[in-house]
Amino acid sequence: MKRFYKEVAVAEVPGGWQVTLDGRGIKSMKGAPQVLPSRALAEALASEWVGQGEEIDPAAFRFRDQADFAIDIVSAERTAAIDTLLGFAETDTLCYRADPDEPLYARQQAEWEPLLSALEQREGVSFTRVSGIMHRPQPSA
C-alpha cells in the first residue's frame, strides 16, 4: 500500500494518547480508537509510522500490533485474559533457579530477584522460589 499521510503526531485525548496521521486519530484493526495509556508508548507507535517509506510495510508495526491486540482482544475479555495469564504464574521461569552453588544462580539472583521482589511488594503477594526444575505450587494468593 502506498503511503497516504504526510504528518505524524502524538495528541493527548480523553483517556490517554493517540497517534495522528495528518491530524486524524488512528484506529485499531477492529476499528476502536487506538488510545494508549502513555505518551511514551504513543511516541513509540508514532516512530513506526514516521519510519515508513513510500510503500507501507505492515511487518514494521510491532508496537501497533501489540497495542491493537491489547485494545481489541485483551480489553474486550479482560477477565479471561487475566485468568489465562495467572495460570502461567504456577510455572513462571523467574521462580525457578539454578542450584545455589552454580554460577548461574548468582546471575539469576541479580537479574530476576529485583523483579519478583518489586512485584511482591507492589501487589502484596508472595512467590515461592525453587532451585532446580521440580515443580512446587505457588501460594493461591
Side-chain angles (χ1 to χ4, degrees):
M1 172 182 1
K2 291 263 187 220
R3 184 174 174 150
F4 57 89
Y5 58 93
K6 293 182 183 188
E7 181 182 300
V8 179
V10 170
E12 190 169 12
V13 296
W17 297 86
Q18 190 170 35
V19 176
T20 62
L21 304 177
D22 295 335
R24 292 188 168 127
I26 293 176
K27 294 187 182 283
S28 72
M29 295 298 281
K30 289 193 172 185
Q34 192 188 63
V35 177
L36 307 158
S38 71
R39 181 181 186 102
L41 181 57
E43 288 174 352
L45 271 73
S47 71
E48 292 179 335
W49 287 98
V50 168
Q52 294 292 316
E54 288 304 311
E55 291 287 325
I56 293 179
D57 176 12
F61 289 112
R62 290 182 291 277
F63 291 129
R64 184 209 60 189
D65 291 347
Q66 291 177 26
D68 285 355
F69 184 81
I71 291 166
D72 293 338
I73 307 300
V74 175
S75 65
E77 299 178 26
R78 189 172 194 270
T79 301
I82 290 169
D83 289 344
T84 298
L85 290 172
L86 285 176
F88 289 101
E90 279 292 315
T91 59
D92 196 308
T93 303
L94 295 177
C95 295
Y96 289 85
R97 313 285 170 86
D99 289 326
D101 58 335
E102 295 180 24
L104 177 58
Y105 181 82
R107 181 151 185 211
Q108 290 170 327
Q109 285 295 101
E111 299 293 328
W112 295 353
E113 192 56 33
L115 297 171
L116 275 180
S117 294
L119 178 63
E120 287 175 325
Q121 186 174 20
R122 185 179 71 232
E123 300 299 328
V125 297
S126 175
F127 290 99
T128 301
R129 278 76 162 166
V130 178
S131 287
I133 59 170
M134 295 304 295
H135 176 73
R136 272 197 222 153
Q138 296 293 333
S140 62

